[in-house]
Amino acid sequence: MGTFTKSFGANGGYVAGDKTLIEKLRVLNAGSTFGETPSPPVLVQISSALKIISGDLAPGQGQERLERLAFNSRYLRLGLKRLGFIVYGHDDSPIIPIMLYHPAKIPAFSHEMLKRKIAVVVVGYPATPLISSRARFCVSAAHTKDDLDRLLAACDQAGEVLQLKFSSGIAGGQEPLPVGLTNVEEMEHREAIAKGELPSLKPPRWKLEDVIRRGVQDVKVPLI
């Protein structure tokens, strides 16, 4: 199941499954039975987006956009982690929520970002549990690295003002391991940290300039 709104620039959604499942949904699902059919412009938009992704329309452009989107998602996510924020979701997801937790920090974070000329989506109860308030960044392939660096700078400042840097380092963003370790040595190093034989992970509180300087090369490897 997925949506056509964020990724395809249209509206509606889809469900993929075997023939039996789809036929049952068509007969029993109230949204299908009583809902209106999508308008022709929306269907053309969805079809065009799929053709761009597959390369049937504007060859090469779909692949380029997917690669740009993957870079943007990983770059922003890793940067936020290294600044000390707790970030939810999959590493490659372009929907990037950072946790605010306290309900009063929802409008406060929004106001702090608006002061820096950035509008953000904030989410709280009842869309989330009461103490799981968050801000949600939606990255697209149209964003440039300069856009993301400007967002990281604004988040860094707002995070300091509102005390939002809760990360312990376990969820990612910690400093790199010593240079020159082989894969086996790296695994042994991590196991020793987990067993308490080596000092525990330090909370990530990278300087903004270091986040920007290291970001491009580090998003090319699995995020930690």
Side-chain angles (χ1 to χ4, degrees):
M1 183 170 64
T3 174
F4 288 126
T5 54
K6 295 183 178 68
S7 53
F8 286 74
N11 71 8
Y14 62 90
V15 176
D18 58 40
K19 184 177 181 181
T20 304
L21 172 64
I22 300 303
E23 288 180 348
K24 186 172 183 178
L25 289 175
R26 283 174 174 165
V27 173
L28 300 178
N29 181 41
S32 175
T33 305
F34 300 106
E36 297 181 359
T37 58
S39 64
V42 169
L43 293 174
V44 171
Q45 169 65 21
I46 295 170
S47 176
S48 299
L50 287 169
K51 288 179 180 178
I52 291 174
I53 291 172
S54 66
D56 295 335
L57 184 64
Q61 192 175 121
Q63 181 66 26
E64 179 189 355
R65 291 187 186 185
L66 290 174
E67 291 175 356
R68 202 182 316 144
L69 179 61
F71 171 82
N72 288 348
S73 303
R74 293 168 65 84
Y75 181 83
L76 179 59
R77 185 178 295 273
L78 181 60
L80 290 169
K81 287 181 178 181
R82 286 178 166 175
L83 290 174
F85 295 98
I86 293 179
V87 182
Y88 278 8
H90 191 276
D91 287 342
D92 294 320
S93 172
I95 310 302
I96 304 173
I98 66 170
M99 302 308 295
L100 308 178
Y101 293 110
H102 197 295
K105 292 186 178 182
I106 300 174
F109 184 76
S110 179
H111 292 161
E112 287 295 327
M113 296 299 283
L114 280 175
K115 288 179 184 178
R116 295 160 177 82
K117 310 299 182 184
I118 296 176
V120 299
V121 176
V122 287
V123 188
Y125 183 84
T128 69
L130 185 62
I131 58 172
S132 295
S133 306
R134 64 197 67 183
R136 182 180 296 150
F137 302 122
C138 300
V139 179
S140 80
H143 288 115
T144 65
K145 181 178 178 296
D146 288 341
D147 294 331
L148 302 181
D149 289 343
R150 178 167 166 259
L151 176 58
L152 287 172
C155 287
D156 186 38
Q157 295 168 8
E160 291 290 344
V161 171
L162 301 176
Q163 298 182 356
L164 296 174
K165 300 182 178 182
F166 306 120
S167 178
S168 65
I170 302 300
Q174 63 263 36
E175 294 182 2
L177 293 175
V179 178
L181 294 181
T182 65
N183 289 341
V184 174
E185 290 172 337
E186 181 176 332
M187 188 64 67
E188 292 173 347
H189 190 93
R190 295 187 188 281
E191 290 176 354
I193 291 175
K195 293 176 181 177
E197 298 170 358
L198 290 175
S200 59
L201 301 174
K202 293 189 299 182
R205 300 293 185 271
W206 289 46
K207 294 181 179 179
L208 178 64
E209 53 268 27
D210 293 333
V211 170
I212 294 173
R213 178 176 55 83
R214 286 289 304 267
V216 174
Q217 68 183 68
D218 287 349
V219 296
K220 297 177 183 179
V221 298
L223 303 186
I224 56 174

Coordinates of all heavy atoms in Angstrom, one line a residue, residues 14-68:
Y14 N -2.6 3.5 -3.7 CA -2.7 2.3 -4.4 C -2.5 1.1 -3.4 O -1.9 1.3 -2.3 CB -1.6 2.2 -5.5 CG -0.2 2.2 -5.0 CD1 0.5 1.1 -4.6 CD2 0.5 3.5 -4.8 CE1 1.8 1.1 -4.1 CE2 1.8 3.5 -4.4 CZ 2.4 2.4 -4.0 OH 3.7 2.4 -3.6
V15 N -3.0 0.0 -3.8 CA -2.7 -1.3 -3.0 C -2.3 -2.3 -4.0 O -2.9 -2.5 -5.1 CB -4.0 -1.8 -2.3 CG1 -3.8 -3.1 -1.6 CG2 -4.5 -0.7 -1.3
A16 N -1.2 -3.0 -3.8 CA -0.7 -4.1 -4.6 C -0.9 -5.4 -3.9 O -0.7 -5.5 -2.7 CB 0.8 -3.8 -4.9
G17 N -1.3 -6.4 -4.7 CA -1.6 -7.7 -4.1 C -2.0 -8.7 -5.2 O -2.1 -8.3 -6.4
D18 N -2.3 -9.9 -4.8 CA -2.8 -10.9 -5.8 C -4.2 -10.6 -6.2 O -4.9 -9.7 -5.6 CB -2.7 -12.3 -5.2 CG -3.5 -12.5 -3.9 OD1 -4.6 -12.0 -3.8 OD2 -3.0 -13.2 -3.0
K19 N -4.7 -11.2 -7.2 CA -6.0 -10.9 -7.8 C -7.1 -11.1 -6.8 O -8.1 -10.3 -6.8 CB -6.2 -11.8 -9.1 CG -7.5 -11.5 -9.8 CD -7.6 -12.4 -11.1 CE -8.9 -12.0 -11.8 NZ -9.1 -12.9 -13.0
T20 N -7.1 -12.1 -6.0 CA -8.1 -12.4 -5.1 C -8.3 -11.3 -4.1 O -9.4 -10.8 -3.8 CB -7.9 -13.7 -4.3 OG1 -7.7 -14.8 -5.2 CG2 -9.0 -14.0 -3.3
L21 N -7.2 -10.8 -3.5 CA -7.2 -9.7 -2.6 C -7.8 -8.4 -3.2 O -8.6 -7.7 -2.6 CB -5.8 -9.4 -2.1 CG -5.6 -8.2 -1.2 CD1 -6.4 -8.3 0.1 CD2 -4.1 -7.9 -0.9
I22 N -7.3 -8.1 -4.4 CA -7.7 -6.8 -5.0 C -9.2 -6.9 -5.3 O -10.0 -5.9 -5.1 CB -6.9 -6.6 -6.3 CG1 -5.4 -6.5 -6.0 CG2 -7.5 -5.3 -7.0 CD1 -5.1 -5.4 -5.0
E23 N -9.7 -8.0 -5.8 CA -11.2 -8.1 -6.1 C -12.0 -8.0 -4.8 O -13.1 -7.4 -4.8 CB -11.4 -9.5 -6.8 CG -10.9 -9.5 -8.2 CD -11.2 -10.8 -8.9 OE1 -11.6 -11.8 -8.2 OE2 -11.0 -10.9 -10.2
K24 N -11.5 -8.6 -3.7 CA -12.2 -8.5 -2.5 C -12.3 -7.1 -2.0 O -13.3 -6.6 -1.5 CB -11.6 -9.4 -1.4 CG -12.4 -9.5 -0.1 CD -11.8 -10.5 0.8 CE -12.6 -10.6 2.1 NZ -12.1 -11.7 3.0
L25 N -11.2 -6.3 -2.1 CA -11.1 -4.9 -1.7 C -12.1 -4.1 -2.6 O -12.8 -3.2 -2.1 CB -9.7 -4.4 -1.8 CG -8.7 -4.9 -0.8 CD1 -7.3 -4.3 -1.1 CD2 -9.1 -4.4 0.6
R26 N -12.2 -4.4 -3.8 CA -13.0 -3.6 -4.7 C -14.5 -3.8 -4.3 O -15.3 -2.9 -4.4 CB -12.8 -4.1 -6.2 CG -11.6 -3.5 -6.8 CD -11.3 -4.0 -8.2 NE -10.2 -3.4 -8.8 CZ -9.6 -3.9 -9.9 NH1 -10.0 -5.0 -10.5 NH2 -8.6 -3.2 -10.5
V27 N -14.9 -5.0 -3.9 CA -16.2 -5.3 -3.5 C -16.6 -4.8 -2.2 O -17.7 -4.3 -1.9 CB -16.5 -6.8 -3.7 CG1 -17.9 -7.2 -3.2 CG2 -16.3 -7.3 -5.1
L28 N -15.7 -5.0 -1.2 CA -16.0 -4.8 0.2 C -15.6 -3.4 0.8 O -16.1 -3.0 1.8 CB -15.5 -5.9 1.1 CG -16.0 -7.3 0.7 CD1 -15.3 -8.3 1.7 CD2 -17.5 -7.4 0.9
N29 N -14.6 -2.8 0.2 CA -14.0 -1.6 0.8 C -14.9 -0.4 0.5 O -15.2 -0.1 -0.7 CB -12.6 -1.3 0.2 CG -12.0 -0.1 0.8 OD1 -12.1 0.2 1.9 ND2 -11.3 0.7 -0.1
A30 N -15.3 0.3 1.6 CA -16.2 1.4 1.4 C -15.6 2.6 0.6 O -16.3 3.3 -0.2 CB -16.6 2.0 2.8
G31 N -14.3 2.7 0.7 CA -13.6 3.8 0.0 C -13.7 3.6 -1.5 O -13.7 4.5 -2.3
S32 N -13.7 2.3 -1.9 CA -13.8 2.0 -3.3 C -15.2 2.0 -3.8 O -15.5 2.5 -4.9 CB -13.2 0.6 -3.6 OG -13.4 0.2 -4.9
T33 N -16.2 1.5 -3.0 CA -17.6 1.4 -3.3 C -18.2 2.8 -3.5 O -19.0 3.1 -4.4 CB -18.3 0.6 -2.3 OG1 -17.7 -0.7 -2.2 CG2 -19.8 0.4 -2.7
F34 N -17.9 3.7 -2.5 CA -18.6 4.9 -2.4 C -17.8 6.1 -2.9 O -18.2 7.2 -3.0 CB -19.1 5.2 -1.0 CG -20.1 4.2 -0.5 CD1 -19.7 3.2 0.4 CD2 -21.4 4.1 -1.0 CE1 -20.6 2.3 0.9 CE2 -22.3 3.2 -0.5 CZ -21.9 2.3 0.4
G35 N -16.5 5.9 -3.1 CA -15.6 7.0 -3.5 C -15.7 7.3 -5.0 O -16.2 6.5 -5.8
E36 N -15.3 8.5 -5.4 CA -15.3 8.9 -6.8 C -14.0 8.4 -7.4 O -13.0 8.2 -6.8 CB -15.4 10.4 -6.9 CG -16.7 11.0 -6.3 CD -16.7 12.5 -6.5 OE1 -15.7 13.1 -7.0 OE2 -17.7 13.1 -6.1
T37 N -14.1 8.2 -8.7 CA -12.9 7.8 -9.5 C -12.0 9.0 -9.6 O -12.4 10.1 -9.6 CB -13.3 7.3 -10.9 OG1 -14.0 8.3 -11.6 CG2 -14.2 6.0 -10.8
P38 N -10.7 8.7 -9.7 CA -9.7 9.8 -9.9 C -10.0 10.5 -11.2 O -10.5 9.9 -12.2 CB -8.4 9.1 -10.0 CG -8.6 7.8 -9.3 CD -10.0 7.4 -9.6
S39 N -9.7 11.8 -11.2 CA -10.0 12.6 -12.4 C -8.9 12.3 -13.5 O -7.8 11.9 -13.1 CB -9.9 14.1 -12.1 OG -8.6 14.5 -11.6
P40 N -9.2 12.5 -14.8 CA -8.2 12.2 -15.8 C -6.9 12.9 -15.6 O -5.8 12.3 -15.8 CB -8.9 12.7 -17.1 CG -10.4 12.5 -16.8 CD -10.5 12.9 -15.3
P41 N -6.8 14.2 -15.2 CA -5.5 14.8 -15.0 C -4.7 14.1 -14.0 O -3.4 14.0 -14.1 CB -5.8 16.3 -14.6 CG -7.2 16.5 -15.2 CD -7.9 15.2 -15.1
V42 N -5.3 13.7 -12.9 CA -4.6 13.0 -11.8 C -4.0 11.6 -12.4 O -2.9 11.3 -12.1 CB -5.5 12.7 -10.6 CG1 -4.9 11.7 -9.6 CG2 -5.8 14.0 -9.9
L43 N -4.8 10.9 -13.2 CA -4.4 9.6 -13.7 C -3.2 9.9 -14.7 O -2.3 9.1 -14.7 CB -5.5 8.9 -14.4 CG -6.7 8.5 -13.5 CD1 -7.8 7.9 -14.4 CD2 -6.2 7.4 -12.6
V44 N -3.3 10.9 -15.5 CA -2.2 11.2 -16.4 C -0.9 11.6 -15.6 O 0.2 11.2 -16.0 CB -2.6 12.4 -17.3 CG1 -1.4 12.8 -18.2 CG2 -3.7 11.9 -18.3
Q45 N -1.1 12.3 -14.5 CA 0.1 12.7 -13.7 C 0.7 11.4 -13.1 O 2.0 11.3 -13.2 CB -0.4 13.6 -12.5 CG 0.7 13.8 -11.5 CD 1.9 14.6 -12.0 OE1 1.8 15.3 -13.0 NE2 3.0 14.4 -11.3
I46 N -0.1 10.5 -12.6 CA 0.5 9.2 -12.1 C 1.2 8.4 -13.2 O 2.3 7.9 -13.0 CB -0.6 8.4 -11.4 CG1 -1.2 9.2 -10.2 CG2 -0.1 7.0 -11.0 CD1 -2.5 8.5 -9.6
S47 N 0.5 8.3 -14.3 CA 1.1 7.6 -15.4 C 2.4 8.2 -15.9 O 3.4 7.5 -16.1 CB 0.1 7.5 -16.6 OG 0.6 6.9 -17.7
S48 N 2.5 9.5 -16.0 CA 3.7 10.2 -16.4 C 4.8 10.0 -15.4 O 6.0 9.8 -15.8 CB 3.4 11.7 -16.6 OG 2.4 11.9 -17.6
A49 N 4.5 10.1 -14.1 CA 5.5 9.8 -13.1 C 6.1 8.4 -13.2 O 7.3 8.2 -13.1 CB 4.9 10.1 -11.7
L50 N 5.3 7.4 -13.4 CA 5.7 6.1 -13.5 C 6.6 5.9 -14.8 O 7.6 5.2 -14.8 CB 4.5 5.1 -13.6 CG 3.8 4.9 -12.3 CD1 2.5 4.1 -12.5 CD2 4.7 4.1 -11.3
K51 N 6.2 6.6 -15.9 CA 7.0 6.5 -17.1 C 8.4 7.1 -17.0 O 9.3 6.7 -17.5 CB 6.2 7.1 -18.3 CG 5.0 6.3 -18.7 CD 4.2 6.9 -19.9 CE 3.1 6.1 -20.3 NZ 2.3 6.7 -21.4
I52 N 8.4 8.3 -16.2 CA 9.7 8.9 -16.0 C 10.6 8.0 -15.1 O 11.8 7.9 -15.4 CB 9.5 10.3 -15.3 CG1 8.8 11.3 -16.2 CG2 10.8 10.8 -14.8 CD1 8.4 12.6 -15.6
I53 N 10.0 7.4 -14.1 CA 10.8 6.5 -13.2 C 11.3 5.3 -14.0 O 12.5 4.9 -13.9 CB 10.0 6.0 -12.1 CG1 9.7 7.2 -11.1 CG2 10.7 4.9 -11.3 CD1 8.7 6.8 -10.0
S54 N 10.5 4.7 -14.9 CA 10.9 3.6 -15.7 C 11.8 3.9 -16.8 O 12.5 3.0 -17.4 CB 9.7 2.8 -16.2 OG 9.0 3.6 -17.1
G55 N 11.9 5.2 -17.2 CA 12.8 5.6 -18.3 C 12.0 5.6 -19.7 O 12.7 6.0 -20.7
D56 N 10.7 5.3 -19.7 CA 10.0 5.4 -21.0 C 9.8 6.8 -21.4 O 9.6 7.1 -22.6 CB 8.6 4.7 -20.8 CG 8.8 3.2 -20.5 OD1 9.8 2.7 -20.9 OD2 7.9 2.6 -19.9
L57 N 9.8 7.7 -20.4 CA 9.6 9.2 -20.7 C 10.8 9.9 -20.2 O 11.2 9.7 -19.0 CB 8.3 9.7 -20.1 CG 7.9 11.1 -20.4 CD1 7.6 11.3 -21.8 CD2 6.7 11.5 -19.5
A58 N 11.4 10.8 -21.0 CA 12.6 11.5 -20.6 C 13.7 10.5 -20.1 O 14.0 10.5 -18.9 CB 12.3 12.5 -19.5
P59 N 14.2 9.6 -21.0 CA 15.2 8.6 -20.5 C 16.4 9.2 -19.7 O 16.9 10.2 -20.1 CB 15.7 8.0 -21.9 CG 14.6 8.3 -22.8 CD 14.0 9.6 -22.4
G60 N 16.7 8.5 -18.6 CA 17.8 8.9 -17.8 C 17.4 9.9 -16.7 O 18.0 9.9 -15.6
Q61 N 16.3 10.6 -16.9 CA 15.9 11.6 -15.9 C 15.3 11.0 -14.6 O 15.6 11.4 -13.5 CB 14.8 12.5 -16.5 CG 14.6 13.8 -15.7 CD 13.6 14.7 -16.3 OE1 12.5 15.0 -15.8 NE2 13.9 15.2 -17.5
G62 N 14.6 9.9 -14.8 CA 14.1 9.2 -13.6 C 15.1 8.6 -12.7 O 15.1 8.8 -11.5
Q63 N 16.1 8.0 -13.3 CA 17.2 7.4 -12.5 C 18.0 8.5 -11.8 O 18.4 8.4 -10.7 CB 18.2 6.7 -13.5 CG 19.4 6.0 -12.8 CD 19.0 4.9 -11.8 OE1 17.9 4.3 -12.0 NE2 19.8 4.7 -10.8
E64 N 18.2 9.7 -12.5 CA 18.9 10.8 -11.9 C 18.2 11.3 -10.7 O 18.7 11.6 -9.7 CB 19.1 11.9 -12.9 CG 19.9 13.1 -12.4 CD 19.9 14.3 -13.4 OE1 19.4 14.1 -14.5 OE2 20.3 15.4 -13.0
R65 N 16.9 11.4 -10.9 CA 16.1 12.0 -9.8 C 16.1 11.0 -8.6 O 16.1 11.5 -7.4 CB 14.6 12.2 -10.2 CG 14.5 13.3 -11.2 CD 13.0 13.6 -11.5 NE 12.8 14.6 -12.6 CZ 11.7 15.1 -13.0 NH1 10.6 14.7 -12.4 NH2 11.6 16.0 -13.9
L66 N 16.0 9.7 -8.8 CA 16.0 8.8 -7.7 C 17.3 8.8 -7.0 O 17.4 8.8 -5.8 CB 15.8 7.4 -8.3 CG 14.3 7.1 -8.8 CD1 14.3 5.7 -9.4 CD2 13.3 7.2 -7.7
E67 N 18.4 8.9 -7.7 CA 19.7 9.0 -7.1 C 19.9 10.3 -6.3 O 20.4 10.3 -5.2 CB 20.8 8.9 -8.1 CG 21.0 7.6 -8.8 CD 22.0 7.5 -9.9 OE1 22.5 8.6 -10.3 OE2 22.2 6.4 -10.5
R68 N 19.4 11.4 -6.8 CA 19.4 12.7 -6.1 C 18.6 12.6 -4.9 O 19.0 13.1 -3.8 CB 18.9 13.8 -7.0 CG 19.4 15.2 -6.6 CD 18.9 16.3 -7.6 NE 18.9 15.9 -8.9 CZ 18.0 16.2 -9.8 NH1 16.9 16.9 -9.5 NH2 18.1 15.8 -11.1

